[in-house]
Amino acid sequence: MTRKLSAALTAILFTGSIAWSQERWQADVRVRSVTVVQVKSRLTCKVVVYSDHDDDARQTTVRILMPVGVKFLSSATGCFSSPSAAADGTQGVATCNIGTLAVGASRTVQIVTTVPTIPEISKTFGAFAWSITPDPKPANNYGEGTAP
């Protein structure tokens, strides 16, 4: 009896561990909104990132594409820019490392820039978010916002 019970428990544990090892972590990181406001000679871009699905989004990163001809002035903690002043014909990028986002949580990152040096240039910012946790819906990882 003990041998049969032991064999049965071993089989249950073995098949259970196979199913558990095949489970795949997933976190749907999405850009919920990109808002751009102009006050005098400054543009403020706020990006709201949201985590959804089954698991926490680990090592979440937001990359904000700045309009051509703006100068990066400041940002939230954990953000840096490259280059800090985009030359004509190039686009600056701000990268924000926001860490782990729990399921159902959101985080807002903000950068402040100058307005474009050429008035005809659009005041549109793009934002792309991702994490190291696999994302089942990557199509919602990008968003844009334009100052009125």
Side-chain angles (χ1 to χ4, degrees):
M1 178 82 162
T2 305
R3 213 178 270 180
K4 287 183 181 180
L5 181 59
S6 177
L9 286 174
T10 302
I12 290 169
L13 291 172
F14 180 71
T15 56
S17 67
I18 289 174
W20 181 80
S21 68
Q22 292 175 349
E23 180 181 324
R24 184 175 167 196
W25 289 43
Q26 292 186 341
D28 182 20
V29 176
R30 67 177 91 164
V31 173
R32 183 172 268 177
S33 65
V34 179
T35 308
V36 183
V37 177
Q38 180 175 347
V39 177
K40 299 184 182 181
S41 62
R42 294 181 183 226
L43 294 172
T44 300
C45 175
K46 289 184 182 180
V47 178
V48 178
V49 179
Y50 180 75
S51 175
D52 195 10
H53 211 276
D54 297 338
D55 301 300
D56 294 347
R58 295 171 292 135
Q59 295 181 19
T60 305
T61 304
V62 179
R63 183 155 292 156
I64 302 170
L65 306 171
M66 298 181 279
V68 173
V70 302
K71 181 178 179 187
F72 179 82
L73 298 174
S74 65
S75 67
T77 304
C79 298
F80 61 92
S81 174
S82 174
S84 62
D88 288 341
T90 62
Q91 187 171 36
V93 176
T95 303
C96 304
N97 298 314
I98 59 175
T100 298
L101 276 176
V103 176
S106 65
R107 183 98 24 94
T108 301
V109 295
Q110 174 179 301
I111 66 168
V112 178
T113 69
T114 60
V115 295
T117 54
I118 302 169
E120 294 80 27
I121 295 203
S122 171
K123 298 172 191 168
T124 299
F125 289 75
F128 183 73
W130 70 91
S131 76
I132 64 167
T133 310
D135 192 332
K137 300 177 193 169
N140 61 13
N141 292 29
Y142 180 79
E144 290 183 348
T146 304

